[in-house]
Amino acid sequence: MSDQVAAPLDAAAASDAAFARISSQPFPQDIFAAPQLRWAVIGCGVIANQMAQVMALAGRPLAGVANRTIEKAQTFAERYGVERVYESYDELYADPSIDAVYITTPHNTHITYLRQALAAGKHVLCEKSITLNSAELDEARALAHEHGVVLMDATTILHMPLYQELVRRMNTGEFGQMNLAQVNFGSFKEYGDLTNRFYNPKLAGGAMLDIGVYALSIARLFMASQPKELVSLANRSTTGVDQTSGFVTRNAEGQLGVFSLSLHSKQPKRAMISFDNCYIEATDYPRADHATIVWTSDGRREEVRAGEEGYALAYEIADLEAAVAGDADKLKLLDYAADVMEIMTRLRYEWGVYYPEEAELAAAAGVEAAGA
């Protein structure tokens, strides 16, 4: 009988396992450094539960929760000691005691909540994919600027200490020129009912917005500029959303990104970032807390650790609070997210993948929106 431990089968199981590893430890005192904000969450799904768990562990229970179904919000509040359940989203937005809102609902609903929360003067952390497309993100950024609040993308890669440390070292010149990123992400989602979230165009399904955002984000962090050249192929599911794809990107500096995504074939979540002097390999990279550097000159392997996977949601909260306090590096994270969103939007449209909310754009392109 093998003594090897099987990897968790899905992201939720992996997150549960990561949280179990840290749940009995004292909460690190160096995660939250900026002035504390009062937070509310919109939605009561997996991510909202993870946020509530880690905030409770930090001794910072949520101040409020709003959900489409108030009964779920009440159950959520009782479970995590949330101070207040709002009977409507408008009631949340109108509450002057709430400083920041975390939006955890499906992709295609984000822009509605973003418009309302930002216009109400709330800082917003929004779950990936932050919007459906670049036009929506441009609108949200303009609203944040108009109302003097911070908007932040919750894609974990932008917030994990591991990548912040590796980018810091890259910027010193230690690694040499970055040349190539090779990034895989494959999940196996059962076909079964093809109207489930992953394949449902009415819930903005498809591999690009669900997992491609991670692959593109890690590559973009290590690139000198946004890739402008794109070459790609994709297969669509019977519901019209992208299911499997391969694409290559190149920026003005000649740095290449090579990506493969699938919603119906398991493959390792592996990122390989190659430089003149070394390459970095990170597995299970969306919330990675360790990576390996292999040095070109002598083949030496260096193990790098920073942060802890189980605190992923805490790092997101801390980064928004730091941005509100004026941290320029944290404020700049949305620029990376915007670059990634532009690439995702271009690729989807090249593949003819338009969501019902994009029906007018689809008609102008001479195609039918998925799920229309």
Side-chain angles (χ1 to χ4, degrees), residues 91-142:
E91 187 179 27
L92 185 162
Y93 303 138
D95 186 348
S97 74
I98 297 299
D99 303 307
V101 175
Y102 190 3
I103 297 171
T104 69
T105 56
H107 312 310
N108 60 320
T109 65
H110 288 176
I111 188 60
T112 298
Y113 298 123
L114 285 168
R115 287 169 179 149
Q116 296 166 345
L118 294 168
K122 307 301 184 188
H123 305 294
V124 177
L125 177 66
C126 188
E127 185 53 32
K128 61 86 184 167
S129 167
I130 188 170
T131 56
L132 286 188
N133 53 48
S134 289
E136 288 186 355
L137 182 52
D138 289 345
E139 178 188 350
R141 296 187 78 178

Coordinates of all heavy atoms in Angstrom, one line a residue, residues 91-142:
E91 N -29.5 48.6 1.8 CA -29.4 48.8 3.3 C -27.9 48.8 3.6 O -27.4 49.5 4.4 CB -30.2 47.8 4.0 CG -30.2 48.1 5.5 CD -31.0 47.1 6.3 OE1 -31.2 45.9 5.8 OE2 -31.5 47.4 7.4
L92 N -27.2 47.8 3.0 CA -25.7 47.7 3.3 C -25.0 48.9 2.8 O -24.2 49.6 3.5 CB -25.2 46.5 2.6 CG -23.7 46.1 2.8 CD1 -23.5 44.6 2.4 CD2 -22.8 46.9 2.0
Y93 N -25.3 49.3 1.5 CA -24.6 50.5 0.9 C -24.8 51.8 1.7 O -24.0 52.6 1.8 CB -25.1 50.7 -0.5 CG -24.9 49.5 -1.4 CD1 -25.9 49.2 -2.3 CD2 -23.7 48.7 -1.4 CE1 -25.7 48.1 -3.2 CE2 -23.6 47.6 -2.2 CZ -24.6 47.3 -3.1 OH -24.5 46.2 -3.9
A94 N -26.0 51.8 2.4 CA -26.4 53.1 3.1 C -25.8 53.1 4.5 O -25.9 54.1 5.2 CB -27.9 53.2 3.1
D95 N -25.2 52.0 4.9 CA -24.7 51.9 6.3 C -23.4 52.7 6.4 O -22.3 52.2 5.9 CB -24.5 50.5 6.7 CG -24.1 50.3 8.2 OD1 -23.8 51.3 8.8 OD2 -24.2 49.2 8.7
P96 N -23.3 53.8 7.1 CA -22.0 54.5 7.2 C -21.0 53.9 8.0 O -19.8 54.3 7.9 CB -22.5 55.9 7.9 CG -23.7 55.5 8.7 CD -24.4 54.4 7.9
S97 N -21.3 52.8 8.7 CA -20.3 52.1 9.5 C -19.5 51.1 8.7 O -18.5 50.6 9.2 CB -21.0 51.4 10.7 OG -21.6 50.3 10.3
I98 N -19.9 50.8 7.5 CA -19.2 49.9 6.7 C -18.2 50.6 5.8 O -18.6 51.5 5.0 CB -20.2 49.1 5.8 CG1 -21.1 48.2 6.7 CG2 -19.4 48.2 4.8 CD1 -20.3 47.2 7.5
D99 N -17.0 50.3 5.9 CA -15.9 50.9 5.1 C -15.7 50.2 3.7 O -15.4 50.8 2.7 CB -14.6 51.0 5.8 CG -14.7 51.6 7.2 OD1 -15.2 52.8 7.2 OD2 -14.4 51.0 8.2
A100 N -15.7 48.9 3.8 CA -15.3 48.1 2.6 C -16.2 46.9 2.4 O -16.7 46.3 3.4 CB -13.8 47.6 2.8
V101 N -16.4 46.5 1.2 CA -17.2 45.4 0.8 C -16.5 44.4 0.0 O -15.7 44.8 -0.9 CB -18.4 45.9 0.0 CG1 -19.3 44.7 -0.5 CG2 -19.3 46.9 0.8
Y102 N -16.7 43.1 0.3 CA -16.1 42.0 -0.5 C -17.2 41.4 -1.3 O -18.2 40.9 -0.8 CB -15.4 41.0 0.4 CG -14.5 39.9 -0.3 CD1 -14.3 40.0 -1.7 CD2 -13.9 38.9 0.4 CE1 -13.6 39.0 -2.4 CE2 -13.1 38.0 -0.2 CZ -12.9 38.0 -1.6 OH -12.2 37.1 -2.2
I103 N -17.1 41.5 -2.7 CA -18.1 40.9 -3.6 C -17.7 39.5 -4.0 O -16.6 39.3 -4.5 CB -18.3 41.8 -4.8 CG1 -18.8 43.2 -4.4 CG2 -19.2 41.1 -5.8 CD1 -18.8 44.2 -5.6
T104 N -18.5 38.5 -3.6 CA -18.1 37.1 -3.8 C -19.1 36.3 -4.7 O -19.1 35.1 -4.7 CB -18.0 36.3 -2.5 OG1 -19.3 36.2 -1.9 CG2 -17.0 37.1 -1.5
T105 N -20.0 37.0 -5.4 CA -21.0 36.4 -6.2 C -20.5 36.0 -7.6 O -19.3 36.3 -7.9 CB -22.2 37.5 -6.4 OG1 -21.6 38.7 -7.0 CG2 -22.8 37.8 -5.0
P106 N -21.3 35.4 -8.4 CA -20.8 34.9 -9.8 C -20.3 36.1 -10.6 O -20.8 37.3 -10.5 CB -22.1 34.3 -10.4 CG -22.8 33.8 -9.2 CD -22.6 34.8 -8.1
H107 N -19.4 35.8 -11.5 CA -18.7 36.8 -12.4 C -19.7 37.9 -13.0 O -19.4 39.0 -12.9 CB -18.0 36.2 -13.6 CG -17.2 35.0 -13.2 ND1 -16.2 35.0 -12.2 CD2 -17.1 33.8 -13.8 CE1 -15.6 33.8 -12.2 NE2 -16.1 33.1 -13.1
N108 N -20.8 37.3 -13.6 CA -21.6 38.2 -14.4 C -22.5 39.2 -13.5 O -23.0 40.2 -14.0 CB -22.6 37.4 -15.3 CG -23.5 36.5 -14.5 OD1 -23.1 35.9 -13.5 ND2 -24.7 36.4 -14.9
T109 N -22.5 39.0 -12.2 CA -23.2 39.9 -11.3 C -22.3 41.0 -10.8 O -22.8 42.0 -10.2 CB -23.8 39.2 -10.1 OG1 -22.8 38.6 -9.3 CG2 -24.7 38.0 -10.6
H110 N -21.0 40.9 -10.9 CA -20.1 41.8 -10.3 C -20.3 43.2 -10.6 O -20.3 44.1 -9.8 CB -18.6 41.4 -10.6 CG -18.2 40.1 -10.0 ND1 -16.9 39.5 -10.2 CD2 -18.8 39.3 -9.1 CE1 -16.8 38.4 -9.5 NE2 -18.0 38.3 -8.8
I111 N -20.5 43.5 -11.9 CA -20.6 44.9 -12.3 C -21.7 45.6 -11.7 O -21.6 46.8 -11.3 CB -20.6 45.1 -13.9 CG1 -20.5 46.5 -14.3 CG2 -21.9 44.5 -14.4 CD1 -19.2 47.2 -13.8
T112 N -22.8 44.9 -11.5 CA -24.0 45.5 -10.8 C -23.6 46.0 -9.4 O -23.9 47.1 -9.0 CB -25.2 44.6 -10.8 OG1 -25.6 44.3 -12.1 CG2 -26.4 45.2 -10.0
Y113 N -23.0 45.0 -8.6 CA -22.7 45.4 -7.3 C -21.5 46.4 -7.2 O -21.5 47.2 -6.3 CB -22.2 44.1 -6.5 CG -23.3 43.1 -6.4 CD1 -23.2 41.8 -6.9 CD2 -24.6 43.4 -5.8 CE1 -24.2 40.8 -6.8 CE2 -25.6 42.4 -5.7 CZ -25.4 41.2 -6.2 OH -26.4 40.2 -6.1
L114 N -20.6 46.3 -8.2 CA -19.5 47.3 -8.2 C -20.1 48.7 -8.4 O -19.7 49.7 -7.7 CB -18.6 47.0 -9.3 CG -17.6 45.8 -9.1 CD1 -16.9 45.4 -10.4 CD2 -16.6 46.2 -8.0
R115 N -21.0 48.9 -9.3 CA -21.6 50.2 -9.6 C -22.2 50.8 -8.3 O -22.0 51.9 -8.0 CB -22.6 50.1 -10.7 CG -22.1 49.9 -12.1 CD -23.2 49.5 -13.0 NE -22.8 49.3 -14.4 CZ -23.3 48.5 -15.3 NH1 -24.4 47.8 -14.9 NH2 -22.8 48.4 -16.5
Q116 N -22.9 49.9 -7.6 CA -23.7 50.4 -6.4 C -22.8 50.7 -5.3 O -22.9 51.7 -4.6 CB -24.7 49.4 -6.1 CG -25.8 49.2 -7.2 CD -26.7 47.9 -7.0 OE1 -26.3 47.0 -6.2 NE2 -27.8 47.8 -7.7
A117 N -21.8 49.7 -5.0 CA -21.0 49.9 -3.8 C -20.0 51.0 -4.0 O -19.8 51.8 -3.1 CB -20.2 48.6 -3.6
L118 N -19.4 51.1 -5.2 CA -18.4 52.2 -5.4 C -19.1 53.6 -5.4 O -18.6 54.5 -4.8 CB -17.7 52.0 -6.8 CG -16.8 50.8 -6.8 CD1 -16.4 50.5 -8.3 CD2 -15.6 50.9 -6.0
A119 N -20.3 53.7 -6.0 CA -21.1 54.9 -6.0 C -21.5 55.3 -4.5 O -21.7 56.5 -4.2 CB -22.3 54.8 -6.8
A120 N -21.6 54.3 -3.7 CA -22.0 54.6 -2.3 C -20.8 54.9 -1.4 O -20.9 55.2 -0.2 CB -22.7 53.4 -1.7
G121 N -19.6 55.0 -2.0 CA -18.4 55.4 -1.3 C -17.7 54.3 -0.5 O -17.0 54.5 0.4
K122 N -18.0 53.0 -0.9 CA -17.4 51.9 -0.3 C -16.1 51.4 -1.0 O -16.1 51.4 -2.3 CB -18.3 50.7 -0.2 CG -19.7 51.0 0.4 CD -19.6 51.5 1.9 CE -21.0 51.7 2.5 NZ -20.9 52.4 3.8
H123 N -15.1 51.1 -0.3 CA -13.9 50.4 -0.9 C -14.4 49.0 -1.3 O -15.2 48.4 -0.5 CB -12.7 50.4 0.0 CG -12.3 51.7 0.6 ND1 -11.8 52.7 -0.3 CD2 -12.4 52.3 1.8 CE1 -11.5 53.8 0.5 NE2 -11.9 53.5 1.7
V124 N -13.9 48.5 -2.4 CA -14.4 47.2 -2.8 C -13.2 46.2 -3.2 O -12.3 46.6 -4.0 CB -15.3 47.3 -4.0 CG1 -15.7 45.9 -4.5 CG2 -16.5 48.2 -3.7
L125 N -13.3 45.1 -2.6 CA -12.5 43.9 -3.0 C -13.4 43.0 -3.8 O -14.5 42.6 -3.2 CB -11.9 43.2 -1.8 CG -11.1 41.9 -2.0 CD1 -9.8 42.3 -2.8 CD2 -10.7 41.3 -0.7
C126 N -13.1 42.7 -5.0 CA -14.1 41.9 -5.8 C -13.4 40.6 -6.3 O -12.3 40.6 -6.8 CB -14.5 42.7 -7.0 SG -15.8 41.9 -8.0
E127 N -14.1 39.5 -6.1 CA -13.6 38.2 -6.4 C -13.4 38.1 -7.9 O -14.0 38.8 -8.7 CB -14.6 37.1 -5.9 CG -14.2 35.7 -6.1 CD -12.9 35.4 -5.5 OE1 -12.5 36.0 -4.5 OE2 -12.2 34.5 -6.0
K128 N -12.4 37.2 -8.3 CA -12.2 37.0 -9.7 C -13.4 36.2 -10.3 O -14.0 35.5 -9.6 CB -10.8 36.2 -9.9 CG -10.8 34.8 -9.2 CD -11.4 33.8 -10.2 CE -11.4 32.4 -9.5 NZ -12.2 31.5 -10.3
S129 N -13.5 36.4 -11.6 CA -13.0 37.4 -12.4 C -13.7 38.7 -12.1 O -14.9 38.8 -12.0 CB -13.2 37.0 -13.9 OG -13.0 38.1 -14.7
I130 N -12.9 39.8 -11.9 CA -13.5 41.0 -11.3 C -14.6 41.6 -12.1 O -15.6 42.1 -11.6 CB -12.3 42.1 -11.2 CG1 -12.8 43.3 -10.4 CG2 -11.7 42.4 -12.5 CD1 -11.7 44.2 -10.0
T131 N -14.6 41.4 -13.4 CA -15.7 41.8 -14.3 C -15.8 40.8 -15.5 O -14.9 39.9 -15.6 CB -15.6 43.2 -14.9 OG1 -14.3 43.3 -15.6 CG2 -15.7 44.3 -13.8
L132 N -16.8 40.9 -16.3 CA -16.9 40.1 -17.5 C -15.8 40.5 -18.6 O -15.3 39.6 -19.3 CB -18.3 40.2 -18.1 CG -19.4 39.5 -17.5 CD1 -20.6 39.5 -18.4 CD2 -19.1 38.0 -17.1
N133 N -15.6 41.7 -18.7 CA -14.7 42.2 -19.8 C -14.1 43.5 -19.5 O -14.3 44.1 -18.4 CB -15.6 42.3 -21.1 CG -16.8 43.2 -20.9 OD1 -16.8 44.3 -20.3 ND2 -18.0 42.7 -21.3
S134 N -13.2 44.0 -20.3 CA -12.5 45.2 -20.1 C -13.3 46.4 -20.0 O -13.0 47.4 -19.2 CB -11.4 45.4 -21.2 OG -10.4 44.5 -21.1
A135 N -14.4 46.5 -20.8 CA -15.3 47.7 -20.7 C -15.9 47.8 -19.3 O -15.9 48.9 -18.8 CB -16.4 47.6 -21.8
E136 N -16.3 46.7 -18.7 CA -16.9 46.8 -17.4 C -15.8 47.2 -16.4 O -16.1 48.0 -15.5 CB -17.5 45.4 -17.0 CG -18.8 45.1 -17.7 CD -19.4 43.8 -17.2 OE1 -18.8 43.1 -16.4 OE2 -20.5 43.5 -17.7
L137 N -14.6 46.7 -16.5 CA -13.6 47.0 -15.6 C -13.2 48.5 -15.7 O -13.0 49.2 -14.7 CB -12.4 46.2 -15.8 CG -11.2 46.4 -14.8 CD1 -11.7 46.4 -13.3 CD2 -10.1 45.4 -15.0
D138 N -13.2 49.0 -16.9 CA -12.9 50.4 -17.1 C -13.9 51.3 -16.5 O -13.6 52.3 -15.8 CB -12.8 50.8 -18.6 CG -11.6 50.2 -19.3 OD1 -10.6 49.8 -18.6 OD2 -11.6 50.2 -20.6
E139 N -15.2 50.9 -16.6 CA -16.3 51.6 -15.9 C -16.1 51.6 -14.4 O -16.3 52.6 -13.7 CB -17.6 51.0 -16.3 CG -18.8 51.7 -15.7 CD -20.1 50.9 -15.9 OE1 -20.2 50.0 -16.7 OE2 -21.1 51.3 -15.2
A140 N -15.8 50.4 -13.9 CA -15.7 50.3 -12.4 C -14.5 51.2 -11.9 O -14.6 51.8 -10.9 CB -15.5 48.9 -12.0
R141 N -13.4 51.2 -12.6 CA -12.2 52.0 -12.2 C -12.6 53.4 -12.3 O -12.1 54.2 -11.4 CB -11.0 51.7 -13.1 CG -10.5 50.2 -13.1 CD -9.2 50.1 -13.9 NE -8.1 50.6 -13.1 CZ -6.8 50.5 -13.6 NH1 -6.6 50.0 -14.7 NH2 -5.8 51.0 -12.8
A142 N -13.3 53.9 -13.3 CA -13.7 55.3 -13.3 C -14.6 55.7 -12.2 O -14.5 56.7 -11.6 CB -14.4 55.5 -14.7

